[in-house]
Amino acid sequence: MDENSWPESGDFVVCTVKNVTDFGAYTTLEEFDGKEGFIHISEIKAGWVKYVRDHVREGQKVVCKVLNVDSSRRHIDLSLKDVNEHQKRAKIQDWKNEQKAFKWLQFVAEETDTGKDEMEKVKLKMLENFGSLYSAFEEAAINSEDAFNDVKLKKKLVTSIVKVAQSNIKLPYVDIAGFIDLNCYLPDGIEIIRQALEAAGDIEEEGIRVDISYTGAPRYRIKVIAPDYKKAESVLKKSAKAAIDTIEKLGGKGEFHRHNDTIKA
């Protein structure tokens, strides 16, 4: 990531434990140019912690939740206890996928003889349009060159991206998407929307993947990849309903858009 990029409160981040002390642990954030974060002893686990080293060790990879960011002081407060097993597994998988996608992008650079500066622009365009590098390659594997119809990239780059994607990603049978509009004008509206999105992402069924991405206020895209259409459609509706139920319970409003229909909770 760009060295000026910082995580936001509520984000889940992959960290490497750098130094363990009596009052907490210092870490480096793998996805944010090695920026340093701190896990206070009270955020290590629920309940009383006598020795921090009983729970974390130097060199260990952990998934933390960002509590607070002060970029002026270059300080990030983290929590280990606020991350459940599902969130940990999902974040680690996303991180591994992004590492693979970064290597694939290097293959594209070598194959097309594209320089570092231009490839950085390509990476930023992929992130801007697809949310992550892996999602961009996944879309390329599924939809070939059509995935980049709205992305201004040179034809040789698109051809290479598609080739690398289809060589490395095993395609599922079905890929469908819908959209949810989430609005909340309460003082803690951002946190409420985040909770609604987490509820949408918590829908789990074996062999099915749910990806949620931001498309532009107040709309979020839910993509479901599944072995068959019936399962994909069912999970898509469950995911959207979970988000809408959550936000309306907390004082906001939500709508689900699928095909040309609008369904209100």
Side-chain angles (χ1 to χ4, degrees):
M1 277 200 174
D2 189 289
E3 64 178 10
N4 295 316
S5 178
W6 290 83
E8 296 182 0
S9 296
D11 285 351
F12 294 103
V13 291
V14 177
C15 306
T16 300
V17 178
K18 179 180 173 183
N19 183 32
V20 178
T21 70
D22 291 339
F23 50 88
Y26 291 92
T27 71
T28 54
L29 279 65
E30 294 293 331
E31 303 153 287
F32 291 89
D33 199 44
K35 290 182 173 65
E36 187 174 273
F38 179 68
I39 313 169
H40 189 265
I41 188 172
S42 63
E43 294 296 333
I44 295 291
K45 70 182 292 290
W48 184 62
V49 173
K50 185 175 182 180
Y51 299 113
V52 177
R53 290 184 184 278
D54 288 344
H55 306 282
V56 292
R57 64 184 184 278
E58 281 90 352
Q60 181 182 1
K61 289 280 191 300
V62 293
V63 175
C64 295
K65 185 175 182 178
V66 178
L67 298 179
N68 183 58
V69 177
D70 187 341
S71 57
S72 63
R73 293 174 53 221
R74 300 189 69 80
H75 182 78
I76 303 170
D77 290 314
L78 302 169
S79 174
L80 190 59
K81 72 179 184 181
D82 285 351
V83 182
N84 62 39
E85 279 302 312
H86 166 68
Q87 292 162 338
K88 177 182 177 181
R89 290 195 304 270
K91 181 60 189 178
I92 288 292
Q93 187 59 57
D94 287 344
W95 177 62
K96 288 181 177 179
N97 284 344
E98 206 65 0
Q99 286 186 309
K100 287 190 289 187
F102 182 74
K103 290 181 180 178
W104 296 341
L105 201 58
Q106 291 178 314
F107 296 158
V108 171
E110 292 171 5
E111 184 177 71
T112 60
D113 194 25
T114 302
K116 183 178 179 180
D117 290 344
E118 186 174 351
M119 285 308 300
E120 184 64 24
K121 294 177 182 178
V122 172
K123 183 179 78 171
L124 292 175
K125 285 184 179 180
M126 292 170 76
L127 290 171
E128 179 182 347
N129 285 273
F130 299 97
S132 72
L133 292 180
Y134 188 82
S135 292
F137 277 101
E138 194 172 55
E139 290 284 352
I142 294 169
N143 298 310
S144 300
E145 284 82 1
D146 289 344
F148 296 89
N149 286 342
D150 298 324
V151 185
K152 293 182 179 179
L153 289 178
K154 293 179 180 178
K155 183 174 176 57
K156 69 174 183 178
L157 287 168
V158 172
T159 300
S160 180
I161 290 170
V162 171
K163 176 184 174 183
V164 171
Q166 293 181 344
S167 297
N168 288 279
I169 296 178
K170 183 179 179 180
L171 290 177
Y173 299 110
V174 174
D175 170 24
I176 66 172
F179 299 89
I180 45 174
D181 292 344
L182 301 176
N183 290 284
C184 186
Y185 301 106
L186 296 174
D188 57 346
I190 294 176
E191 177 59 27
I192 288 173
I193 290 173
R194 190 185 300 278
Q195 289 181 39
L197 293 172
E198 286 182 359
D202 282 342
I203 302 300
E204 281 189 313
E205 290 193 21
E206 186 176 355
I208 297 179
R209 176 176 168 182
V210 178
D211 287 330
I212 300 173
S213 58
Y214 175 72
T215 63
R219 181 157 291 190
Y220 298 83
R221 180 173 183 250
I222 303 176
K223 182 174 75 172
V224 178
I225 302 170
D228 61 71
Y229 180 84
K230 185 176 180 180
K231 289 182 179 179
E233 191 71 32
S234 173
V235 170
L236 176 61
K237 289 180 178 178
K238 287 179 183 178
S239 181
K241 186 175 187 303
I244 294 170
D245 286 349
T246 299
I247 199 167
E248 295 200 341
K249 180 181 178 181
L250 297 174
K253 291 184 178 181
E255 288 186 355
F256 171 49
H257 304 270
R258 180 76 176 103
H259 299 308
N260 293 319
D261 299 326
T262 299
I263 300 173
K264 292 187 180 181

